[in-house]
């Protein structure tokens, strides 16, 4: 590949960032931000190109649908089995993620009886060992049951097909979080994350009875700020702008998630500055959701939203080591498609190969919830997402720089840079390929919506978004029907992630769909289209699911006040 962007440089930045325990609102987060600023200034960016925007980390403030947490950082923690024999379990000296994000502090050294979590019950004055979802355990064992300490062994996003399970990785410590809004933090519950090996050891001793654990924990949890670092990569002030986003937060090492996205965004800024790129491109390094939501809403209030964004999230994985696949999340059909399609074109054309045979895995998926692209998508901004999922070492202390691939970083970075080039030097051959694909997709969508409720609401919008005026005459007399009901969000921006915990398990089992992604899709569609039947129809087609399932989800969201109809 061209050395316009050097994967070795990006990887070295990932190594630097991996040394910081980049918890949202922490000193390490701010220091990592300062290190990035210093790197770019020393690389030639003027000091006036940097702006830090601060948003409340007070555990109370609600922005859109997102409730702030307090700023949190660990100082020290260690955990031992004390009875029936003394055995070391874990400490922050071994792995920084051993203290669960949101953990409180102990009163010096504390010793407590150890019990195994068994749903709701009385856990007063106990240390509770659990392998279930930390938020649920916190609610049952701490809030309702009075537990003093949680010892957790839990893995998000299990993928046994690539060896991602607790049994496959018994020595890996997972990065976990418990609630630390103002009310939750006042409970001052201490929480540790342990490996499957240590969980099994504690479980076996607790079943024999009379097991006691000892621990010490010191954390700082207080009001602070969530800082967004905005970098003006080009200094070009005329006309609209493009924004590249990446979340800087996450624990050490956090190499792929998301040292890779932040480092690649920083290196793209350096390249654009070196090239005197003649278009306004800004970089926003954010605390995921808690910083990106208020930042995006501020841009909206200033009438300064970008024309599109590119979100870099987990973009450096060595596919052989991590079992991951490079993915591109589609822009929803109710938003303009061009820039997502140009990005896809370059990803595919730049894919590492040998004699025409691809050497990497790549897949395009429907719009996916879960990162900062959702924040802008639901404000009507096309925001393609690039990342690597599934990943064997996601959210763990095994997510190290050794799992990164320099060539992968170059592939992703050059795909983004070449897409930006189309802003100033459009390549007609690229546009022909992109338009051909858009018109083909539009043909399929218009066929599927023909004559159905809501189709009339989106007919003109789809033709515009897919640049498919050539198909207007073909589908002009398709008997399209309007929506029967209005639909609008009850707040600006993305749903976020916390609401997912309130979604009933019985509905998850009944629907068997990616309800979180569909829900964010519907929120964005409601803001753009405004008709319930039209949005449900597009969601059904986009995800290839029965429209009845989308209607059930939409009905639940209306009932819970997430939408109005």
């Amino acid at each position: 590949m061209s050395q316009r962007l050097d994967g070795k440089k990006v990887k070295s930045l990932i190594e630097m960032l991996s040394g910081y325990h980049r918890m949202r609102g922490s000193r390490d987060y701010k220091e990592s931000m300062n290190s990035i600023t210093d790197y770019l200034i020393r690389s030639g960016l003027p000091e006036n190109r940097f702006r830090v925007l601060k948003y409340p980390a007070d555990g109370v403030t609600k922005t859109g649908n997102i409730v702030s947490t307090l700023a949190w950082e660990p100082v020290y923690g260690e955990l031992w089995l004390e009875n029936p024999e003394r055995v070391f379990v874990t400490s922050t000296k071994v792995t920084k993620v051993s203290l669960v994000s949101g953990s409180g502090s102990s009163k010096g050294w504390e010793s407590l009886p150890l019990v195994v979590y068994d749903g709701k019950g009385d856990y007063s004055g106990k240390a509770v060992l659990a392998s279930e979802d930390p938020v649920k355990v916190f609610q049952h064992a701490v809030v309702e049951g009075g537990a003093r300490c949680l010892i957790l062994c839990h893995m998000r996003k299990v993928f046994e097909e690539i060896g991602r399970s607790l049994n496959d990785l018994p020595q890996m410590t997972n990065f976990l979080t418990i609630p630390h809004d103002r009310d939750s933090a006042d409970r001052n519950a201490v929480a540790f994350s342990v490996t499957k090996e240590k969980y099994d050891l504690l479980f076996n001793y607790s079943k024999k009875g009379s097991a006691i654990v000892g621990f010490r924990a010191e954390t700082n949890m207080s009001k602070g700020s969530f800082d967004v670092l905005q970098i003006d990569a080009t200094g070009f002030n005329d006309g609209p702008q493009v924004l590249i986003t990446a979340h800087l937060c996450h624990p050490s090492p956090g190499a792929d998630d998301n040292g890779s996205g932040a480092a690649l965004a920083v290196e793209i800024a350096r390249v654009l500055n070196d090239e005197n790129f003649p278009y306004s491109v800004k970089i926003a390094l954010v605390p995921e959701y808690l910083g990106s939501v208020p930042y995006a809403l501020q841009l909206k209030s200033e009438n300064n939203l970008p024309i599109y964004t590119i979100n870099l999230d987990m973009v450096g994985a060595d596919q052989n080591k991590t079992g991951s696949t490079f993915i591109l999340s589609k822009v929803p059909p109710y938003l303009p498609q061009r820039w997502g399609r140009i990005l896809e074109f370059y990803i595919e054309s730049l894919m590492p190969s040998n004699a025409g045979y691809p050497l990497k895995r790549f897949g395009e998926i429907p719009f996916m919830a879960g990162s900062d692209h959702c924040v802008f998508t639901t404000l009507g901004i096309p925001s393609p997402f690039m990342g690597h999922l599934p990943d064997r070492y996601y959210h763990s202390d095994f997510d190290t720089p050794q799992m990164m691939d320099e060539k992968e970083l170059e592939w992703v970075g050059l795909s983004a840079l070449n897409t930006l080039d189309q802003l100033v030097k459009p390549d007609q051959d690229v546009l022909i390929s992109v338009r051909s694909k858009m018109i083909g997709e539009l043909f399929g969508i218009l066929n599927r919506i023909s004559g159905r409720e809501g189709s009339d609401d989106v007919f003109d919008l789809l033709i515009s978004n897919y640049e498919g005026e050539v198909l207007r005459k073909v589908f002009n007399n398709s008997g399209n029907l309007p929506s029967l009901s209005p639909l609008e969000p009850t707040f600006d921006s993305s749903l976020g992630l916390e609401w997912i915990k309130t979604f009933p398990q019985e509905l998850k089992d009944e629907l068997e769909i990616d309800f979180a992604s569909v829900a964010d899709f519907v929120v964005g569609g409601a803001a753009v289209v405004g008709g319930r039947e039209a949005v449900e129809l597009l969601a059904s087609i986009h995800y290839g699911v029965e429209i009845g399932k989308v209607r059930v989800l939409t009905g639940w969201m209306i009932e819970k006040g997430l939408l109005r109809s």
Side-chain angles (χ1 to χ4, degrees), residues 435 438-439 442 446 459 462-473 475:
R435 284 173 177 155
M438 286 195 295
I439 290 171
L442 177 63
L446 293 179
F459 182 72
L462 290 170
I463 285 178
S464 174
N465 288 343
Y466 285 84
E467 303 176 30
E469 190 65 33
V470 67
L471 295 179
R472 182 178 291 279
K473 288 184 179 179
F475 290 95

Side-chain angles (χ1 to χ4, degrees), residues 152-170:
L152 303 167
C153 179
H154 181 75
M155 177 181 283
R156 292 184 61 214
K157 297 185 183 295
V158 171
F159 289 96
E160 293 183 351
E161 297 85 349
I162 62 167
R164 178 174 169 79
S165 72
L166 291 173
N167 288 328
D168 287 314
L169 298 164

Side-chain angles (χ1 to χ4, degrees), residues 121-126 128 138-149 187:
D122 183 2
Y123 299 101
S124 300
K126 301 286 199 311
V128 177
F138 180 84
Q139 177 64 32
H140 290 169
V142 176
V143 177
E144 299 172 18
R148 173 72 184 109
C149 176
R187 298 181 184 279

